[in-house]
């Protein structure tokens, strides 16, 4: 059983739609990371958050540490947002979620 | 800071050959990791290190070896390459806990 569960696994959207990706984890952590990987590309860190909410452009990440849940929102989605989104946290290893594959069509 | 660097970017090996994938970071991170990513799949941990001189196996260590003689460098050695080792290899580093994760650009390895 994966220690970090993401939903949905796959997501298809039309350009302009509001996107939400969810992440649930089972242990107490100090911070959660959201990562992005474009097809055939490298892994980019989008957010690290310990509480509340962070915003960067059209991307918003929220976390509820008590409920062990985080969400990544994309407002006004665009085809260039098509990528795999991964939530993660640090222990002595990096623990990754199952990933959400997002495709945004024009 | 250069962040996490990996060399080479691409490599084609013949079955049975050996090679070393290089990874270096200039942020004085104590934690370093090697992951492999097969097409369409997630990241699988090969080896990791919590500090210079300390290494430990991840979930898929067979066919690989590592060393961590300095804080900066964490090379991954492939001995007797096999087609099953065809993958993209990512190196990562962090101070752990509530610190940022940093990833190298990846090495795309094909074994034929």
């Amino acid at each position: 059983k994966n220690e970090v569960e993401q939903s949905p696994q796959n997501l298809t959207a039309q350009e302009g739609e509001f996107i939400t990706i969810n992440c649930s984890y089972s242990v107490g952590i100090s911070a959660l990371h959201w990562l992005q990987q474009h097809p055939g590309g490298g892994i980019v860190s989008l957010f690290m958050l310990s509480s509340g909410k962070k915003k960067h452009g059209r991307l918003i990440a929220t976390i509820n540490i008590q409920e062990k849940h985080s969400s990544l929102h994309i407002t006004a989605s665009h085809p260039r947002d098509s990528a795999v989104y991964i939530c993660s946290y640090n222990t002595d290893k990096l623990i990754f979620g199952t990933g959400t594959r997002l495709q945004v069509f024009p | 800071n250069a962040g996490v660097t990996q060399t080479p970017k691409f490599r084609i090996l013949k079955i049975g050959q050996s090679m070393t994938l290089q990874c270096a970071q200039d942020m004085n991170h104590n934690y370093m990791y090697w992951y492999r990513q097969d097409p369409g799949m997630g990241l699988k941990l090969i080896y990791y290190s919590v500090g210079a001189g300390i290494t430990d196996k991840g979930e898929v260590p067979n066919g690989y070896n590592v060393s961590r003689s300095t804080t900066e460098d964490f090379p991954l050695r492939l001995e007797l390459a096999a087609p099953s080792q065809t993958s993209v290899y990512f190196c990562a580093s962090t101070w752990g806990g509530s610190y940022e994760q940093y990833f190298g650009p990846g090495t795309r390895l094909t074994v034929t």
Side-chain angles (χ1 to χ4, degrees), chain A residues 35-51:
Chain A
L35 311 170
Q36 179 193 57
Q37 186 178 28
H38 282 103
I43 300 165
V44 174
S45 179
L46 297 174
F47 294 103
M48 184 186 71
L49 62 166
S50 301
S51 64

Side-chain angles (χ1 to χ4, degrees), chain B residues 12-60:
Chain B
I12 298 174
L13 279 182
K14 293 192 186 311
I15 294 171
Q17 286 185 321
S18 300
M19 75 166 295
T20 299
L21 281 66
Q22 300 291 348
C23 173
Q25 51 89 13
D26 60 358
M27 296 166 282
N28 206 34
H29 288 162
N30 46 343
Y31 293 91
M32 293 188 75
Y33 309 90
W34 275 107
Y35 288 90
R36 60 177 285 174
Q37 187 177 41
D38 299 332
M41 304 298 284
L43 295 156
K44 291 187 178 177
L45 181 63
I46 306 171
Y47 271 96
Y48 68 104
S49 169
V50 301
I54 306 168
T55 62
D56 211 343
K57 294 178 181 178
E59 56 185 307
V60 290

Side-chain angles (χ1 to χ4, degrees), chain A residues 30-31 33 35 37 39-48 50 54 86 88-98 101, chain B residues 31 33 35 37 40-43 45 48-50 57-58 90 92-105 108:
Chain A
S30 55
H33 305 255
L35 311 170
Q37 186 178 28
I43 300 165
V44 174
S45 179
L46 297 174
F47 294 103
M48 184 186 71
S50 301
K54 284 191 176 180
I86 306 165
S88 172
Y89 63 85
N90 300 342
T91 62
D92 55 350
K93 307 167 191 175
L94 304 181
I95 305 299
F96 298 105
T98 46
R101 189 174 303 272
Chain B
Y31 293 91
Y33 309 90
Y35 288 90
Q37 187 177 41
M41 304 298 284
L43 295 156
L45 181 63
Y48 68 104
S49 169
V50 301
K57 294 178 181 178
F90 288 101
S93 72
T94 181
W95 276 313
S98 55
Y99 292 95
E100 291 279 354
Q101 300 171 352
Y102 292 84
F103 293 86
R108 192 173 296 273

